């Protein structure tokens, strides 16, 4: 089965999910769904990130067990129906968003003269602060608790080792229009909160803060740059289980600069992938070689090996904080402090310095090949080049296993050469799969400088004077032939027009001669018939000559 884009899933889901979500749609679209729910695959319900995660679950199930097996951490999605319901509970939202839209319009009209950007930035900051003060609607909180229990098990107040209260989560934005599409990625424009503890109140605050981040100045400017209006678009939120990864990173199934699908580009670091996507550390860069037999995802593609390695310094490693083992006064104070939205960004992660990172390889060659095979499978399932976030962790206790994983993020025990020993039993996790944004859509500096030198827009355009049957083999219709040879169409059209004109003249002359009959009996005379035949023959002869 081949899926050409995430949004193609909208046509495959038969469940009744409304395209326009009203304020009271919980009976039609739940406020919170899991990744395995059919409605989760709809971009209009789960947003770009949520829908692609739901697609990844299906792709994981169809992957070959030995060559390309990977897992997707469990998650729940606060849908766009919950977003609409939350807005209906905020009495001043319409007035506040009207002021923000007015400031955005004023910024556009005064951008030439300057000063409009400062006004919009101040208005965005004021709106975000006002939105974060709102409490998550009680109906959404109830559904969130119910879905977390159904997905991760019941939370126990007395025993923190049971249920979702013992886990940590990543709360991530999932907009429906601007995020994780082939045209717009919105990378880094909206907030993501990592290591959020399994507290219903903290998770609720994180959802509100995630929604509010789409009104930040950077996000609003990004929307305006792509013509998105109004600024308040439908938005879902993904609450995904965090995995204490030994190494993480990003993989492109086509080279992001050249678009060459024969190369997989991997950037990775120890610990969580935050240090890679935020460019906080110089990661390792690997290039995998792919054997492409045909320019189609229907044909088999095979990862042949690691083509190139560039080990970065990796001076900074981001890891998860240790889990809570008891309800001590210190832990309670830390949890109470985490309730503040200002501390959500750092409530569950910590950064550590790593020395000698350029001497250690974050991902072993064996794991790189496993990762490459999984990436090829994902790209073939989606039918397009992908931008994939991945991580390697222990297969049994894959989340919050800080007692066994508390090795500084160096990938395990170190051998005599100071390099970490590989972990052949590490489990591969895939956290995101999105289209590579703007692939092959930008001109190089050379092409921009020499754009007017030739009629060729790019170096890939080719003109030919060969016979069309030689360069376009196989059967083709007249319509296809005319589309290939527009000049021939013009010549044929002119020839038909001239022939039609000559034919009309002949008919007119014949009509004039036919009316020249004898006035007395109305019959043709023999001399007239001979004269008519002679005149017509001479006219045809002169026309042909």
């Amino acid at each position: 089965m081949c899926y050409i884009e995430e949004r193609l899933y909208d046509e495959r889901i038969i469940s009744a999910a409304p395209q326009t979500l009203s304020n009271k749609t919980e009976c039609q679209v739940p406020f919170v769904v899991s990744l395995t729910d059919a409605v989760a695959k709809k971009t209009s319900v789960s947003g770009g990130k949520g829908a692609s995660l739901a697609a990844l679950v299906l792709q994981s199930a169809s992957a070959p067990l030995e060559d390309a097996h990977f897992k997707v951490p469990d998650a729940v999605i606060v849908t766009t129906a919950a977003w609409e319901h939350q807005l209906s509970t905020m009495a001043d939202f319409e007035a506040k968003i009207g002021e923000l839209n007015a400031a955005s319009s004023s910024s556009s009209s005064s951008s030439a003269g300057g000063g409009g950007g400062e006004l919009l930035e101040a208005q965005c900051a004021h709106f975000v602060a006002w939105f974060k003060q709102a409490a998550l609607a009680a109906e959404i909180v109830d559904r969130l608790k119910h879905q977390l229990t159904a997905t991760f098990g019941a939370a126990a107040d007395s025993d923190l080792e049971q249920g979702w209260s013992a886990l940590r989560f990543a709360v991530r934005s999932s907009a429906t229009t601007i995020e994780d599409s082939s045209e717009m990625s919105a990378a880094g424009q909206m907030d993501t909160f990592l290591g959020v503890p399994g507290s219903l109140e903290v998770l609720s605050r994180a959802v509100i803060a995630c929604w509010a981040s789409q009104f930040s100045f950077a996000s609003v400017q990004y929307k305006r740059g792509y013509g998105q209006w109004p600024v308040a678009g439908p938005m879902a939120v993904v609450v995904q289980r965090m995995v204490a990864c030994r190494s993480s990173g990003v993989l492109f199934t086509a080279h992001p600069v050249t678009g060459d699908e024969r190369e997989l580009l991997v950037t990775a670091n120890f610990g969580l992938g935050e240090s890679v996507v935020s460019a906080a550390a110089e990661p390792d860069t690997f290039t995998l070689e792919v054997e492409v037999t045909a320019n189609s995802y229907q044909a088999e593609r095979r990862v042949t090996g690691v083509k190139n390695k560039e080990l970065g310094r990796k001076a900074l490693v981001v890891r998860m904080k240790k889990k809570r083992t008891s309800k001590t006064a210190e832990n309670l104070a830390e949890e109470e402090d985490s309730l503040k939205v200002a501390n959500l960004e750092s409530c569950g992660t910590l950064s550590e310095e790593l020395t000698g990172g350029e001497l250690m390889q974050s991902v072993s060659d064996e794991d790189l090949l496993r990762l490459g095979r999984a990436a090829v499978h994902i790209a073939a399932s989606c039918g397009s080049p992908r931008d994939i976030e991945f991580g390697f962790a222990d297969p049994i206790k894959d989340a919050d296993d800080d007692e066994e994983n508390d090795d500084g993020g160096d990938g395990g025990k170190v051998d005599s050469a100071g390099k970490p020993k590989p972990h052949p039993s590490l489990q591969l996790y895939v956290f995101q799969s999105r289209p590579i944004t703007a692939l092959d859509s930008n001109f190089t500096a050379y092409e921009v400088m020499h754009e007017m030198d030739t009629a060729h827009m790019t170096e890939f355009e080719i003109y030919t004077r060969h016979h069309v049957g030689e360069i376009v083999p196989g059967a083709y219709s007249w319509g296809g032939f005319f589309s290939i040879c527009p000049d021939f169409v013009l010549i044929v059209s002119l020839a038909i027009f001239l022939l039609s004109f000559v034919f009309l003249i002949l008919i007119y002359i014949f009509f004039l001669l036919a009316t020249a009959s004898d006035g007395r009996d109305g019959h043709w005379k023999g001399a007239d018939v001979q004269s008519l035949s002679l005149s017509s023959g001479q006219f045809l002869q002169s026309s042909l000559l």
Side-chain angles (χ1 to χ4, degrees), residues 271-350:
L272 304 180
E274 178 65 18
S275 62
V276 178
V277 298
S278 64
E282 180 187 2
D284 292 340
T285 302
F286 307 99
T287 303
L288 307 183
E289 194 171 11
V290 181
E291 180 183 354
V292 179
T293 58
N295 189 23
S296 171
Y297 284 104
Q298 302 294 335
E300 182 182 1
R301 300 188 177 190
R302 186 171 61 90
V303 179
T304 57
V306 181
K307 182 178 181 181
N308 187 37
K309 300 179 185 179
E310 295 180 9
L311 301 185
R313 294 180 61 244
K314 301 184 290 294
L316 186 70
V317 174
V318 179
R319 300 174 52 245
M320 287 177 56
K321 290 183 178 179
K322 292 184 178 181
K323 61 184 178 181
R324 298 167 296 159
T325 56
S326 62
K327 278 197 172 183
T328 63
E330 181 181 355
N331 288 335
L332 290 175
E334 181 182 355
E335 180 177 341
E336 182 67 22
D337 188 56
S338 298
L339 295 178
K340 300 178 182 179
V341 177
N343 295 330
L344 280 175
E345 296 182 356
S346 59
C347 66
T349 60
L350 55 87

Side-chain angles (χ1 to χ4, degrees), residues 164-186:
W164 54 268
S165 62
L167 304 178
R168 290 190 179 270
F169 297 89
V171 182
R172 314 167 70 186
S173 62
S174 181
T176 60
T177 55
I178 68 169
E179 198 165 10
D180 293 345
S181 66
S182 56
E183 295 83 14
M184 303 171 65
S185 65

Side-chain angles (χ1 to χ4, degrees), residues 55-75:
L56 275 174
V57 173
L58 297 180
Q59 295 164 9
S60 173
S62 61
L65 294 180
E66 297 181 357
D67 294 335
H69 179 64
F70 64 93
K71 289 185 178 180
V72 181
D74 292 331

Side-chain angles (χ1 to χ4, degrees), residues 370-390:
R370 291 170 51 204
L371 173 63
R373 288 189 288 265
V376 169
H377 168 72
I378 294 174
S381 300
C382 297
S384 63
R386 312 303 289 178
D387 175 359
I388 298 173
E389 296 179 10
F390 69 90

Side-chain angles (χ1 to χ4, degrees), residues 39-51:
V39 73
K41 302 175 184 66
K42 294 183 67 66
T43 306
S44 59
V45 173
S46 303
K49 186 180 278 82

Side-chain angles (χ1 to χ4, degrees), residues 44-97:
S44 59
V45 173
S46 303
K49 186 180 278 82
S52 63
L53 281 173
L56 275 174
V57 173
L58 297 180
Q59 295 164 9
S60 173
S62 61
L65 294 180
E66 297 181 357
D67 294 335
H69 179 64
F70 64 93
K71 289 185 178 180
V72 181
D74 292 331
V76 299
I77 303 173
V78 183
T79 65
T80 53
W83 157 263
E84 296 287 349
H85 180 75
Q86 178 67 28
L87 298 188
S88 68
T89 63
M90 304 172 68
D92 298 334
F93 179 80
E94 295 296 335
K96 295 287 185 179
I97 197 63

